[in-house]
Amino acid sequence: MKVVNLGESNSVLNHFIAQMRDRSIQKDSMRFRRNLERVGEVFAYEISKTLEYEPVNVETPLGIAECQLHRKPIVLSTILRAGLPLHQGLLNYFDNAENAFVAAFRKYGKDNKFKIQLEYATSASTEGKVLVIADTMLATGASLLLAYQKLIENGEPEHTHIVCAIASAEGVEYLSRNLPHKKVTLWVGAIDEELTNKSYIIPGLGDAGDLAYGDKL
């Protein structure tokens, strides 16, 4: 698996992520969602550079222009609910993409231990397509791996791009061990080194789903 950390280079992406982390700015849920959406747009642009293109003739009012367009169909997917604004940012650029959604959550037991519960998944065929999975936070990596395995039941993608605004070093290592083949690229905006005993990322930004849409039960 290839890992691309866009946060290692100075760009406006770092400005968006800094605002998402800032506890005073986080009080504005609309700003949080919009920043996450803009992060998705930056990732979409960077992913677009890796796609295969072919020349297509486009008729203008004054003649014919040869344009380079990407040729492979794209399936955009996300893990509900925190990934929705990130997904929307990707969809703003890949507006002809098919879409997939996975509902997964942590079910805690004793001693803060948990297992990932997958309740719902819907997707078009991913056979031979470019699959993009958006998940705002990559903590342990368990839910993302489970979502990936569920989505590829609908066919083997030509390539899979995993997009996470913030990842933990442990989560990156977990995916690297479990997705070793070259047909997967992990895109992150920042990698944080620490997880709490409940597997929350430090410094992270808190619960992205709550910040975007309000507290859950």
Side-chain angles (χ1 to χ4, degrees):
M1 183 182 77
K2 181 179 179 182
V3 179
V4 181
N5 183 357
L6 294 182
E8 291 179 331
S9 301
N10 290 329
S11 77
V12 71
L13 174 72
N14 294 335
H15 177 77
F16 300 150
I17 290 179
Q19 287 196 354
M20 288 166 54
R21 290 188 190 266
D22 190 321
R23 62 187 303 174
S24 63
I25 300 177
Q26 286 179 351
K27 296 175 183 178
D28 184 346
S29 59
M30 185 170 67
R31 170 62 68 89
F32 184 85
R33 291 193 303 271
R34 180 61 184 127
N35 278 329
L36 194 49
E37 183 178 344
R38 293 193 289 186
V39 166
E41 292 171 345
V42 173
F43 279 120
Y45 176 72
E46 294 297 329
I47 290 172
S48 75
K49 298 177 185 178
T50 72
L51 303 178
E52 295 182 22
Y53 288 76
E54 63 183 13
V56 174
N57 288 331
V58 175
E59 185 177 355
T60 79
L62 300 176
I64 301 295
E66 183 179 284
C67 302
Q68 296 289 328
L69 303 179
H70 63 82
R71 63 182 185 84
K72 285 288 181 181
I74 296 173
V75 177
L76 297 180
S77 61
T78 195
I79 301 175
L80 303 173
R81 62 180 169 153
L84 286 172
L86 186 62
H87 179 96
Q88 183 60 53
L90 291 158
L91 186 59
N92 289 347
Y93 281 26
F94 299 129
D95 55 342
N96 290 324
E98 298 172 286
N99 291 264
F101 300 93
V102 176
F105 66 95
R106 296 177 178 182
K107 187 172 184 179
Y108 282 91
K110 297 180 179 179
D111 301 323
N112 291 325
K113 293 183 178 179
F114 64 87
K115 63 178 181 179
I116 302 300
Q117 190 83 25
L118 193 153
E119 288 199 336
Y120 171 84
T122 180
S123 175
S125 170
T126 52
E127 182 67 36
K129 300 176 183 178
V130 176
L131 173 62
V132 182
I133 305 175
D135 194 10
T136 301
M137 307 290 285
L138 173 64
T140 66
S143 60
L144 210 152
L145 180 63
L146 189 64
Y148 169 80
Q149 292 169 338
K150 184 66 178 179
L151 289 166
I152 65 171
E153 289 179 4
N154 290 329
E156 183 69 24
E158 180 187 77
H159 195 93
T160 299
H161 297 276
I162 298 171
V163 175
C164 302
I166 297 176
S168 74
E170 182 178 320
V172 173
E173 173 61 25
Y174 179 82
L175 290 186
S176 296
R177 290 197 313 269
N178 288 279
L179 298 173
H181 49 81
K182 297 180 180 179
K183 295 172 66 177
V184 177
T185 302
L186 172 63
W187 299 81
V188 299
I191 298 178
D192 293 349
E193 292 298 323
E194 190 176 349
L195 287 177
T196 69
N197 63 349
K198 293 189 71 173
S199 297
Y200 290 115
I201 301 172
I202 298 177
L205 51 74
D207 189 305
D210 289 357
L211 291 169
Y213 297 111
D215 295 343
K216 55 185 173 291
L217 294 176

